[in-house]
Amino acid sequence: MTSPVRAYVGLGANLGNAQATLRTVLHELAATPGIVACRPSGFYRTAPVDAAGPDFINAVAAIDTTLAPLALLDALQALENRHGRLRPYKNAPRTLDLDLLLYGDTAMDTPRLTLPHPRMHQRAFVLAPLGELAPALVLPQGPLQTLLARLADQPIERLPD
């Protein structure tokens, strides 16, 4: 058996009961074959970025997985589809959005997947929950806490547990 790799997945939703959807998906992630551990951050409310629509509920999950990066992406997209994810246009409101942010120290750039996620350092809704799980994390652009401090103009609200 392959040793598990620590990966981080961004979760977001802004259609339907977003908090209930994310809670359900976290349980489904934990039960996915090849995922041996799943630890979520708290939930955050944020306005959509480069889009219209209701506020998003966002979180990040730290997972330990034996799945390869593209197999993990397939599992994430299957969960999105199960929850009615549609992609009518770029940045459309969504019932569920799952982004593979980091997969160990893997760096890759393919038509289907770029790791680390190419825009996560620009998004408080990713860095704030990621910082709960891995406060000392250093991304290619610099220390997570330094990057998050640069995004102080992006409103974000930590929701009660």
Side-chain angles (χ1 to χ4, degrees):
M1 176 164 159
T2 328
S3 294
V5 172
R6 171 64 48 93
Y8 293 92
V9 176
L11 300 90
N14 73 336
L15 293 178
N17 186 336
Q19 287 188 53
T21 298
L22 294 189
R23 280 196 276 294
T24 298
V25 168
L26 286 164
H27 289 292
E28 292 171 344
L29 260 177
T32 299
I35 294 179
V36 296
C38 178
R39 186 170 62 100
S41 71
F43 288 178
Y44 291 78
R45 180 188 323 278
T46 58
V49 174
D50 298 327
D55 285 352
F56 272 87
I57 304 300
N58 293 99
V60 169
I63 63 171
D64 295 331
T65 183
T66 57
L67 297 171
L70 289 173
L72 179 55
L73 179 64
D74 289 341
L76 296 176
Q77 289 177 341
L79 282 170
E80 287 179 335
N81 292 339
R82 189 176 317 143
H83 286 274
R85 169 73 189 267
L86 301 175
R87 292 173 171 81
Y89 54 89
K90 184 176 172 61
N91 296 329
R94 54 205 72 156
T95 55
L96 180 62
D97 185 26
L98 299 174
D99 288 328
L100 183 51
L101 304 172
L102 295 162
Y103 182 93
D105 294 328
T106 299
M108 65 187 288
D109 188 357
T110 71
R112 284 197 63 213
L113 181 61
T114 300
L115 290 170
H117 189 287
R119 292 172 302 285
M120 70 176 166
H121 68 284
Q122 303 167 337
R123 297 173 169 171
F125 67 83
V126 172
L127 296 185
L130 184 57
E132 268 189 44
L133 299 171
L137 190 65
V138 177
L139 301 176
Q141 298 82 6
L144 184 145
Q145 298 301 329
T146 301
L147 296 169
L148 182 57
R150 292 182 191 155
L151 303 177
D153 61 328
Q154 294 182 18
I156 183 167
E157 174 193 1
R158 171 95 162 53
L159 299 175
D161 290 330

